[in-house]
Every structure is written in C-alpha cells, then in structure tokens.
Amino acid sequence: MFSSKKFNRQLCCLFFSLVIPFTSFSQKGDKAKVVSELIARMTLEEKVGQMTNLTLSAITEPSDDPLKVDPAKLREVIVKHNIGSIQNVVKHAYSIEEWHKLINEIQKVSLTETRLKIPFLYCIDAVHGTNFTLNSTLFPHNLGLAATRNPELVKLCAEITAKEVRASGIRYNFSPVLDVGRQPLWPRFPETFGEDVLLTKTMGVASVKGYEGKSLNDFTSVASCMKHFVGYSVPANGKDRAAAYIPEINLREYFLPPFKAAVDAGAHTLMVNSGEVNGTPVHASRFLLTDVLRNELNYKGIVISDWEDIKKLTERHKVAENHKEAVYLSVNAGIDMCIVPFDFSFYNDLIALVKEGRIKEERINESVKRILDLKFDLGIFERPYVEKEAVKNFGLPEYTQAALAAARESITLLKNSDQVLPLKRDKRVLVVGSNANSLTALNGAWSYTWQGRKAEYFPKTELTILDALKKKAGDINIVYKKDFKDVTSAEAKPDYIIVALGEDAYAETPGNTKTLELASEDIEGVRNIVKLYPGIPLIYVLTEGRPRLIREIEPFAKGVLMAYWPGSQGGNAVADILYGDYNPSGKLPFTYPRYSGELMTYDHKWLDEAVEIVEPEYKYLYEFEPQYPFGFGMSYTNFTLSNLKLSSDQLTGDSKIKVSVDIKNTGQRVGKETVELYSRDHFASVTPSVKRLRGFKKVELQPGELKTVEFEISREDLAFVGTDMKWRTEPGGFDLIVGDLNVVLNYKGQ
Ligand code: BGC
C-alpha cells in the first residue's frame, strides 16, 4: 500500500511542476472588504450561481472510465450559469492525480473565463476517511468510532481525513453526521455515533475539530458539515428519508444538543434533513432553519440543502405545487445553497422569484456572503488551485497505524464464555461465511463507491478477516467455507469455528430493510454447523452497520465479537483481537436489541419497562432485557470499581461537584476500560429517564494498577427540557451511578 502511495506522490510532484504556472489569481486582503466589494459588483445571476451546487456528472462525459470533462458542459455550467460549487464523483473514487487534474481544469475556467473570476469550490463526502480518493485510508464508520469512547482518536481520524481530502485538492467535506441514532432500522445508523446524546455531542465535536483544525486556511484542514439538521435519524417506519414525528420537547432534549455543541465548536456549514418532521419537510421549515438554527443556536455559517431535496418538496412531500414554489419555500425557510444537482432549475426559478419581487435581493446577498466568506476562509481566493503543500500529506504510513488503532479500539467483545478467546494459535480453525472474505463488508457504505459494494476499487494490499487470520495463524490452520451449505462433516474436525455474520455494505435508501432479523439461511446455517460439529466452540464475528438480531443462535456461541464496519484495518484488528494480540476495549454505542418488536434505547422511561402479570396472581415488575446493553463490552482482563465518592453530596446554584471512583485492573493483562457515569433523577416534572450518560473516560491500566477517575458535575449536566421547552434542573435527589456503584447527590436549587 505504501509503495503505491509513494509512487502516487512522485507523480503528483511531476504534475505540479507542469500545472502550477497558471495559479496566478489572487484576491488577498480583509475578508469583509473583499466579500462586500465582490457582492456589490455581482449580478443577480452571478449571485444565484454561487447558491447553486451541481454534481460532477453535469460537466463530464457520462462514463468516468476514464473521467473526462466535457468542455461544452463545463462552460455551460461555470461560465454561462456562474455555478460556484461542484460535488461528488460520477460513479467511483478517483486517483489523486485525476482529482488534481479535474479540479485545476474547472478552476482554470472559473478564473479565466468568468467575468468576476470567483474561484469555484469542490465538495465531497469523506465520511470515514477520504472515501472517494483511491488508496486513501478508510477508518471505522462513526458507529464504531463511538464504541472506542476515545474522542482523541476520533479527532485524529478526522484530522487524517482532512489532510487526505485537502491533498486531493478538495476543501469542503460533508461530514460528520450528528443525527442521534435512536432507530436501528434506519440504513444510516452506521453513520451515527449511536443512540446517546452526550456520546454524539462529544464525538461530533471531536470530529468537527479534527476536520477544521486551527484554521480553514491551513493545508491540513477542510470545512466540516454538520448533518442532517434535524430529526433525520428517527423515521417512524425506520426507512431512509421518511416522516418523523418528534415532539418539540424530545427534539430539544435528544436531537438539537449535538448540533448546538458543534455550532459552538465553530463548524462552518450545515446540511438539512431530507425527511420531514411533524408534517413539515425540514427544507421548508422556517421554524427549524431560521427560528431555531439561526436565532436560538446562533449559527452563522452556510445552510446547504441535501441532494435534490428542493425538488422533492414538490415531487415527494407535496407541499409545493411546482418547483418555483418549492424554491420560494426553501429559500424563505433559510437555505443558502442548493444541491440541485443535475440542472439549472433552482438557478432559473430563484432568479425569476427575485425578479418578480417575491424574494428580496438582500436575502440573496445574505446567502452569497456566507458562501464567499467560506471560500475566503478556505484560502481559495488566495490559492485557488490544488495546493502543493497539501498534496504531500496524502498516504503517510502513520495513517494506517491510526486506522488500525481505531478499528482495534472500536471492536467490542460481547461474549466470552469459558474464556474461549483469545484463540490458541496452533489450533485448527474453520471459518464460515462470505463476510469473512469481503472487503466491502469490512468497509461498508461510502467506500470508493457510494454503496461500497465494488471490491475492485479497494487497495490490493488490504486484508479481509480471512487473509488476516491466515497471516497470523498460518494457512494450514485456517480452513474457509464461504457458504454455510458447503460445510459438511467431511471436514477434519476443527478446534474452533468462526462464523462471520452481519451485513454487506449499503448506503442510504438502498439500505432500507424490512427487518433486523438475520437472513434465515444464516440462522439455519449456524444450526446445521452446531449439528455437524457438536461441542466445537463457536465464535461469531459481526460485521454490520446496524444490529442484526442473533437471539435464536446466540446461545450456541461461546464468543461474540462486534466489529461494526471497521474500515481498512478491520481484518487485522479482528485477527489481533481473536488471537489476543490486542485486548479489546470497545463499548456498545447503542442498545443491541433482542427482539425487533422491542427497540428501546437505554435511556427510556420507567413506564416503557412496566410489565403486568395476571396469573397466578396479579403483580407488576420492570423488565428490560436487550441482547446486550448500551455501554457493554468485555476485556481479556478484569476491572474492579470501588470508592465512588462526591466532593459534596449537596449541589447549589452554579457550583460544581467532583465525582471520583477508583478502578483497578485485577486481571493478568494490560487493558483499557471506559468508566461511564450515569445519573438518575429521582423525581421530576417531566418523567425522567431510567438513567442518562453524564460522562465517560477511558483509561489504560497495567495488571494490578489502580487509577482514580474524576468527573465534574454541574446543574447543567443534570438538566432536562421542561414543558415550557426550556432547559431546567429541578431541586431534589439524583443517583450518580458508575457500574454497580451508586451515590446520591442532592441538588438544592439556585
Ligand atoms: C446524502 C448526504 C450527502 C449528499 C451528498 C445525500 O444523498 O443524504 O449525506 O452528503 O448526498 O451530496
């Protein structure tokens, strides 16, 4: 992998010496001045062109094998229609050289053939690494990153992504997803940081900081995009881009906080939810996009539509009679830039609306200012072409190490009966299931193609789980059967059987599913293996973007390893953990359901657990029995918690109290463990959840080592949204819980 990347870098240098001479355009100076002077000189058409975002195929030949710009289309887009930004790929990822050639070619036309020579901006989805540049480093998807409980590592992955995106010549990344993953059927669940608000907030902010760095002007940074504002992740039917019904009190309690935190962290752009909330498509919601986002959250950056979503106001949501009305509604609601993405419908209709006086030109100026400000911040006016200094940051060897660290820290050990794991190296292992020998099932969505299903674009050096197991234990010890039906008793008896289960890659709407149940062939296949090889320990490795139910076959397994979609180093990481070369430390970022009819998050209400039993006598109890709870994940060593203490058991006004707890590694191996602090409000005017995560810290401990972990708690940490839609903390008792330990804190009020 490295050698091919190195070769690529050499090619780049050669390329630069040929191309750079035309990088003469420069518009330096004070941002406010440059931007306001430009706006004053721009025609309405030039302004609306900045607000229009088209996809790459609008300027290329239909096939991208090879990628070829169509000069006539390019001029139609850039010169005739003044389009200010382009995004995406036609069908698949490109080499870094192809990216450079493409971006410089478009930029040259923007700078030499348009009236005002405003540079154009390229945008891309780089959602788990720079997934649309060949030979880039792919990391675990956000769901796996959340399982690491390691925000520093999440930031590092985002920093590397930013470097490889910028090295590709691109400066705007449509990531991270800040939708809280509270509906596991939703096909974009793997793009979320899981079901918890604090976890999503913390990892989301780490990601934004990693992408944006100290300054967008830096060669190592890209603009981030908070998406998808807001309420996308809980469609009532579990399908992508479907209707959600979210009472405002829940919207504020669970879905707005990650966006607020990312706005406060300085994220520069935001993408709108393609779905609808409470009967209003978010693209037409002035309440959400202006009243809440701008006026309450005080967001100053760009609001970009999602793909074709203004058209969908007419075609799918049926809230606008025709496209022009859809444009009117969405611009009025607060959209600055529209991903159209194939034609000039938005451009034409918006110009017409301004000319008719229905939308004021001042409103257009606001959006254009935000867009030009971003271009200025990204240094595009100053350095419009691919930056030589950025290119050298592509494909550095340490990125592979970071991908390995992230995959290892994400993988979550869910079962280890009789300490079946780690495996002994010289034993014979039968590996079953197509996911064991698949790069696409390791990398999931957005991996060199949108759906991630084309293995031919992956680096040739990347290892599947099977490859990595063979590398570690030797070919002779590993026997592979792709299909369950190929497993017969004719095999020499293995010492262990590893079954790869889960899902292959999918992205967005094509990933809709009607059920979380595993395919019946897989269930039957496992049952058959159990019959053929009674008593041989079975270990399941799950590579999946969302929890597939294993209830029926879980009792047969001695070991269960949840790998999520672990990315380019997933094969190595799984093998390292199975053979004990790495001690697992991942923690579930969601509640792993046992039944598809019981999809409950850990922070549900008491009422949700109530069970009434009628025979033989009436009684009621509380029951919540997911397959594996939120926060669960085992290690090859043991940790013991003790001494949970408060600096004071009384909290008043704006003061803070310290919560401390001791954690000791009582096992034989060095290991990492996450200490999670939960609170439980005894009584409140709005029904409290059974518990809420309030803090988490990951520590590494040598065998026998003890560390004291500290958290700070203030009244904000215990707050909830009241019926008046305002955050409040009510006086009274709160349990503070770490593991099985519990102390009571009394909040005395202001
Ligand atoms: C997705 C967005 C993505 C966009 C790129 C849409 O289909 O919903 O997440 O950023 O495509 O244009």
Side-chain angles (χ1 to χ4, degrees), residues 13 210 249 284 328 340 355 366 398 426 501 504 512 567 616 689 708:
C13 296
I249 193 167
Y328 176 77
V340 189
K355 287 193 172 155
E366 284 171 17
E398 61 263 30
D426 53 352
L501 295 166
D504 201 348
N512 279 347
S689 299
T708 301

Side-chain angles (χ1 to χ4, degrees), residues 24-234:
S24 56
F25 184 88
S26 150
Q27 201 157 352
K28 295 184 185 164
D30 170 59
K31 175 166 85 177
K33 191 161 170 279
V34 169
V35 169
S36 66
E37 280 176 9
L38 250 185
I39 293 178
R41 291 166 61 203
M42 287 166 85
T43 61
L44 175 61
E45 288 73 12
E46 284 162 341
K47 291 175 185 172
V48 172
Q50 291 297 318
M51 295 171 68
T52 306
N53 182 286
L54 297 187
T55 193
L56 180 55
S57 59
I59 58 165
T60 63
E61 292 184 0
S63 160
D64 49 5
D65 289 312
L67 177 64
K68 249 179 126 184
V69 169
D70 175 327
K73 284 189 191 168
L74 176 63
R75 281 166 180 85
E76 176 79 10
V77 166
I78 299 289
V79 184
K80 182 153 176 234
H81 289 92
N82 321 286
I83 303 303
S85 58
I86 308 273
Q87 63 145 317
N88 208 356
V89 292
V90 178
K91 287 194 179 126
H92 56 75
Y94 307 125
S95 68
I96 191 166
E97 296 78 14
E98 283 175 296
W99 275 121
H100 294 166
K101 183 166 174 294
L102 173 75
I103 285 160
N104 283 336
E105 192 173 349
I106 307 171
Q107 200 63 290
K108 188 175 178 196
V109 171
S110 305
L111 298 183
T112 56
E113 298 182 35
T114 65
R115 192 178 73 92
L116 291 175
K117 308 188 181 347
I118 300 173
F120 97 108
L121 170 68
Y122 209 97
C123 334
I124 201 76
D125 284 89
V127 306
H128 69 126
T130 306
N131 45 255
F132 282 138
T133 303
L134 295 173
N135 291 314
S136 62
T137 311
L138 298 191
F139 299 102
H141 279 266
N142 288 346
L143 195 63
L145 289 182
T148 68
R149 299 293 200 271
N150 186 342
E152 283 305 309
L153 192 52
V154 174
K155 183 163 172 248
L156 176 67
C157 296
E159 281 167 359
I160 294 171
T161 303
K163 285 182 189 164
E164 292 206 320
V165 169
R166 188 109 177 191
S168 305
I170 303 171
R171 302 188 205 182
Y172 180 10
N173 182 10
F174 295 146
S175 181
V177 165
L178 299 177
D179 305 307
V180 187
R182 295 172 77 83
Q183 164 53 287
L185 280 161
W186 188 49
R188 306 195 73 172
F189 191 74
E191 296 184 55
T192 74
F193 291 108
E195 73 187 33
D196 179 67
V197 181
L198 177 73
L199 195 54
T200 306
K201 254 164 74 169
T202 311
M203 298 311 199
V205 166
S207 199
V208 165
K209 288 190 171 162
Y211 289 141
E212 299 211 345
K214 290 202 184 71
S215 155
L216 293 187
N217 197 14
D218 204 282
F219 303 122
T220 55
S221 301
V222 292
S224 69
C225 184
M226 306 172 277
K227 64 189 199 184
H228 309 78
F229 189 81
V230 58
Y232 188 14
S233 53
V234 280

Side-chain angles (χ1 to χ4, degrees), residues 120-371:
F120 97 108
L121 170 68
Y122 209 97
C123 334
I124 201 76
D125 284 89
V127 306
H128 69 126
T130 306
N131 45 255
F132 282 138
T133 303
L134 295 173
N135 291 314
S136 62
T137 311
L138 298 191
F139 299 102
H141 279 266
N142 288 346
L143 195 63
L145 289 182
T148 68
R149 299 293 200 271
N150 186 342
E152 283 305 309
L153 192 52
V154 174
K155 183 163 172 248
L156 176 67
C157 296
E159 281 167 359
I160 294 171
T161 303
K163 285 182 189 164
E164 292 206 320
V165 169
R166 188 109 177 191
S168 305
I170 303 171
R171 302 188 205 182
Y172 180 10
N173 182 10
F174 295 146
S175 181
V177 165
L178 299 177
D179 305 307
V180 187
R182 295 172 77 83
Q183 164 53 287
L185 280 161
W186 188 49
R188 306 195 73 172
F189 191 74
E191 296 184 55
T192 74
F193 291 108
E195 73 187 33
D196 179 67
V197 181
L198 177 73
L199 195 54
T200 306
K201 254 164 74 169
T202 311
M203 298 311 199
V205 166
S207 199
V208 165
K209 288 190 171 162
Y211 289 141
E212 299 211 345
K214 290 202 184 71
S215 155
L216 293 187
N217 197 14
D218 204 282
F219 303 122
T220 55
S221 301
V222 292
S224 69
C225 184
M226 306 172 277
K227 64 189 199 184
H228 309 78
F229 189 81
V230 58
Y232 188 14
S233 53
V234 280
N237 65 3
K239 303 273 164 61
D240 190 35
R241 298 184 159 83
Y245 299 90
I246 313 175
E248 189 179 333
I249 193 167
N250 286 5
L251 193 84
R252 292 180 180 282
E253 177 82 41
Y254 299 103
F255 300 102
L256 285 177
F259 288 96
K260 167 148 186 23
V263 167
D264 293 346
H268 277 78
T269 87
L270 173 139
M271 190 183 286
V272 178
N273 164 15
S274 298
E276 55 183 68
V277 176
N278 305 335
T280 303
V282 184
H283 283 77
S285 174
R286 194 172 162 83
F287 169 64
L288 289 172
L289 298 185
T290 296
D291 299 349
V292 175
L293 179 64
R294 296 272 181 218
N295 300 341
E296 279 187 42
L297 303 194
N298 201 20
Y299 174 60
K300 307 271 187 235
I302 295 175
V303 173
I304 183 166
S305 84
D306 201 345
W307 185 272
E308 246 180 355
D309 277 322
I310 293 179
K311 285 192 175 159
K312 287 187 189 137
L313 293 180
T314 308
E315 291 165 11
R316 257 192 211 177
H317 300 280
K318 314 274 183 200
V319 293
E321 204 176 348
N322 54 47
H323 186 261
K324 198 186 210 179
E325 289 313 301
V327 173
Y328 176 77
L329 277 179
S330 60
V331 173
N332 196 35
I335 300 278
D336 295 313
M337 191 192 274
C338 172
I339 302 183
V340 189
F342 299 105
D343 57 39
F344 303 109
S345 52
F346 173 81
Y347 178 90
N348 290 332
D349 281 338
L350 185 51
I351 290 170
L353 284 162
V354 178
K355 287 193 172 155
E356 286 161 19
R358 290 185 65 202
I359 293 181
K360 296 215 162 40
E361 194 153 344
E362 291 81 73
R363 166 68 193 87
I364 302 296
N365 291 347
E366 284 171 17
S367 293
V368 175
K369 177 178 180 313
R370 291 182 190 122
I371 294 162

Side-chain angles (χ1 to χ4, degrees), residues 409 582 639 665 670-673 698-702 705 707:
E409 287 209 29
Y582 186 79
F639 298 100
N665 181 348
V670 58
K672 290 185 181 168
E673 177 68 336
K698 192 166 189 173
V699 286
E700 186 173 52
L701 295 167
Q702 299 297 321
E705 190 181 357
K707 279 187 181 160

Side-chain angles (χ1 to χ4, degrees), residues 398-462:
E398 61 263 30
Y399 301 170
T400 311
Q401 289 316 309
L404 181 63
R408 282 169 159 183
E409 287 209 29
S410 70
I411 293 173
T412 308
L413 179 61
L414 296 175
K415 186 173 186 182
N416 196 14
S417 300
D418 305 328
Q419 261 127 49
V420 66
L421 296 174
L423 303 177
K424 298 193 181 54
R425 243 168 240 260
D426 53 352
K427 300 284 179 185
R428 209 180 121 84
V429 183
L430 171 62
V431 180
V432 189
S434 55
N435 275 8
N437 197 23
S438 160
L439 289 178
T440 61
L442 272 186
N443 286 278
W446 302 103
S447 298
Y448 306 121
T449 56
W450 173 44
Q451 292 296 311
R453 287 275 180 119
K454 300 231 158 115
E456 63 267 33
Y457 294 109
F458 286 74
K460 298 286 169 281
T461 46
E462 217 167 273

